[in-house]
Amino acid sequence: MTVTIVGSQLGDEGKGGVVDLYGDAADVVARYQGGDNAGHTVVHGGEKYKLSLVPSGAVRGKVGVLGNGCVVNPETLFDEIDTLRERGLEPDVRVAERAHVILPYHRALDGIEEDEKEDLAAGTTKRGIGPTYEDKAGRRGIRVGDLLDPDTLRERLEYVVPQKRALAKEVFGADPDEAFDVDHLFETYREYGERLAEEGMTVDCGTYLQKRIDDGDNVMLEGAQGTSIDIDHGIYPYVTSSNPTAGGATVGTGLGPTVVGQGEVIGIVKAYLSRVGTGPLPTELGGVEGQTPDYDGDQGAGEDEEELATYIRDEGGEYGTVTGRPRRVGWLDMPMLRHAARANGFTGLAINHIDVLAGLEEVRVGHSYELEGEEVLTMPPTTEKWGDCEANLKSFDGWADVDWSEVAEKGYEAIPENARTYLEYVADELGASIYAIGVGPGREETVVVENPYE
Ligand code: IMP
């Protein structure tokens, strides 16, 4: 069977920990979208592993697959694999031949365009994600399978690189370097292709995964980023260029929707909100220079809010895994979660980071929005309207900081009562059961209520 893991907010909900936890029962962990923009930290045997492309299951001896819906930077891929090997692991990573390749000109153009866009900039990770998906949709992309065939690789590069060079130079006034040089790219990427072939890493993803399922294996489909930065269902244009939503799990792997739909779809929820990037955020507390629109150092209710934001940011370690940027933080946004529950069809929820909020006297959530004099319960379809929404806050009594490892050992009833009230409110509103509660960064610090593979 399959278990699909989806971020229900803006990314960074702690998906890695849940994948890691439930991944024990999985034989294969496949990513279905995104690329090396997805930072995740895996704690294993007291060691911390920071990965941005390799599926986290690979740290635990599972087969890690990068599906056809991913965009693959071979440099990052091999760097991560080599680092894991140096640390004594033997990662088994397969890459879909249909996946698109991130080339150096994609990264360069991501940076150049972000600077050019000013207010419309999404605050991207500058990993070349958007430009690579653009080329995929524009039918001028280079796929992993093309790296294995030098003639095709050269032909594709000869077509596309002069266009990219002209774009950089004539449109953006940049000075194209070797990232825009056909011969250099051909040599480098042909070598990556040789290594992929030598190590037997490429697969026909859908066929491979279906066979594993038919053989009785458990497959986990790991989404990166989150529903509200989905290119279709997110806060366009402040989004990533792929589909983190559960539909992406079928398109991005080659498994049929009926196959994925027979399994479980688990929404990962962070108990508050965090965001790396620009655009509105109705439940934001305080703000972050360069990301919060019109930030003047004194957002919202002023100093108290800034202090609260700093407290949550520091307690939760809310600094980007990939870029190190401080994340914007806010109260849980229920309209955002209702939107996610519908778009993904969650069968279960994992709610993380309730320990981070411990010690606060009061915990709030944005229960609904006030928009044009009316109460709305889900996100409006345009980001401009979303920016006009005022959050109607609901208040909960806070819970004390306790020994969370002990709570994890004892189980659900050991969670402080006020925190349980909070969790049950979220589950009731979303109509999905709680499968797990994250009470700390390690996977041992999780209260497991249900194991989807059992
Ligand atoms: P891109 O994916 O690098 O193109 O960035 C587009 C938007 O998605 C930006 O607002 C990023 O901050 C955001 N983003 C991309 N990857 C992640 C992630 O893994 N976690 C949180 N936000 C992300």
Side-chain angles (χ1 to χ4, degrees):
M1 75 172 286
T2 65
V3 172
T4 304
I5 301 291
V6 182
S8 61
Q9 293 149 319
L10 294 148
D12 310 315
E13 298 91 351
K15 292 178 292 294
V18 179
V19 169
D20 197 26
L21 174 79
Y22 289 141
D24 260 354
D27 303 287
V28 181
V29 179
R31 279 191 55 184
Y32 55 84
Q33 44 72 233
D36 54 348
N37 50 347
H40 41 262
T41 308
V42 184
V43 184
H44 175 48
E47 295 265 321
K48 245 189 192 182
Y49 299 91
K50 288 198 174 202
L51 300 169
S52 61
L53 184 61
V54 167
S56 38
V59 170
R60 294 190 192 282
K62 314 290 171 185
V63 179
V65 178
L66 295 172
N68 54 275
C70 294
V71 285
V72 179
N73 183 332
E75 193 181 337
T76 312
L77 176 68
F78 289 127
D79 274 357
E80 290 188 0
I81 290 176
D82 291 344
T83 305
L84 291 176
R85 283 187 183 152
E86 277 160 25
R87 294 176 70 180
L89 300 177
E90 286 174 36
D92 183 350
V93 181
R94 316 292 172 97
V95 189
E97 288 200 28
R98 289 184 171 91
H100 280 249
V101 179
I102 301 179
L103 284 118
Y105 52 79
H106 291 126
R107 276 180 92 122
L109 285 166
D110 197 356
I112 295 170
E113 284 198 55
E114 275 284 290
D115 292 342
E116 191 72 20
K117 275 181 166 172
E118 295 182 348
D119 282 355
L120 284 177
T124 76
T125 58
K126 300 195 178 176
R127 298 294 192 270
I129 307 296
T132 307
Y133 280 115
E134 270 178 54
D135 281 353
K136 171 180 177 174
R139 294 162 299 187
R140 66 182 94 81
I142 291 174
R143 305 201 294 177
V144 167
D146 301 334
L147 302 184
L148 309 181
D149 175 355
D151 291 342
T152 307
L153 176 62
R154 184 167 266 286
E155 189 186 15
R156 299 252 196 279
L157 287 170
E158 277 175 0
Y159 172 71
V160 76
V161 174
Q163 291 181 15
K164 299 296 170 190
R165 179 174 264 281
L167 181 64
K169 201 169 162 183
E170 312 301 337
V171 177
F172 295 116
D175 187 15
D177 56 11
E178 62 179 16
F180 295 83
D181 181 90
V182 174
D183 290 334
H184 169 74
L185 293 171
F186 175 72
E187 281 314 318
T188 315
Y189 283 75
R190 190 179 55 86
E191 277 174 30
Y192 287 135
E194 280 170 9
R195 183 164 171 194
L196 286 166
E198 268 163 29
E199 300 198 16
M201 287 172 66
T202 61
V203 287
D204 178 348
C205 184
T207 308
Y208 175 80
L209 292 179
Q210 187 64 58
K211 173 150 190 344
R212 299 292 303 246
I213 292 170
D214 292 344
D215 289 347
D217 286 333
N218 285 331
V219 173
M220 176 166 277
L221 305 172
E222 176 184 359
Q225 290 87 42
T227 302
S228 279
I229 52 172
D230 181 288
I231 182 110
D232 284 276
H233 303 289
I235 48 170
Y236 195 89
Y238 309 107
V239 293
T240 193
S241 299
S242 65
N243 290 117
T245 41
T250 112
V251 179
T253 58
L255 290 172
T258 42
V259 174
V260 174
Q262 276 159 18
E264 299 251 16
V265 178
I266 302 181
I268 315 303
V269 178
K270 184 182 267 187
Y272 52 92
L273 213 58
S274 74
R275 161 82 171 136
V276 191
T278 48
L281 203 59
T283 59
E284 182 163 19
L285 286 164
V288 172
E289 184 90 57
Q291 296 186 57
T292 304
D294 306 321
Y295 183 64
D296 61 6
D298 186 18
Q299 295 306 98
E303 239 170 64
D304 288 354
E305 266 202 13
E306 291 287 349
E307 253 175 49
L308 192 54
T310 306
Y311 175 82
I312 296 175
R313 186 175 299 118
D314 290 347
E315 287 291 307
E318 296 297 348
Y319 296 87
T321 318
V322 173
T323 58
R325 289 183 286 181
R327 296 178 184 146
R328 300 162 69 187
V329 294
W331 296 124
L332 197 65
D333 184 321
M334 291 309 293
M336 180 187 283
L337 289 180
R338 290 187 196 100
H339 172 68
R342 194 211 60 255
N344 294 296
F346 294 144
T347 57
L349 300 172
I351 306 180
N352 283 323
H353 284 22
I354 61 159
D355 55 308
V356 171
L357 299 179
L360 296 179
E361 241 168 68
E362 182 194 26
V363 175
R364 293 173 157 200
V365 299
H367 173 77
S368 61
Y369 301 142
E370 192 76 16
L371 176 65
E372 294 161 358
E374 291 197 14
E375 186 187 26
V376 289
L377 289 170
T378 189
M379 286 172 91
T382 74
T383 304
E384 290 63 36
K385 281 248 154 78
W386 193 51
D388 292 340
C389 288
E390 295 262 344
N392 292 319
L393 296 175
K394 183 176 164 69
S395 176
F396 289 81
D397 288 335
W399 47 91
D401 204 8
V402 293
D403 181 342
W404 294 103
S405 310
E406 203 179 296
V407 168
E409 244 170 65
K410 287 192 174 156
Y412 188 75
E413 294 304 319
I415 295 174
E417 193 182 342
N418 289 347
R420 273 185 281 139
T421 306
Y422 184 79
L423 294 168
E424 284 156 25
Y425 157 80
V426 175
D428 282 352
E429 289 290 325
L430 303 187
S433 319
I434 298 178
Y435 279 20
I437 302 108
V439 296
R443 69 170 184 161
E444 294 77 19
E445 289 152 305
T446 308
V447 176
V448 181
V449 183
E450 286 275 341
N451 188 331
Y453 285 113
E454 280 169 4

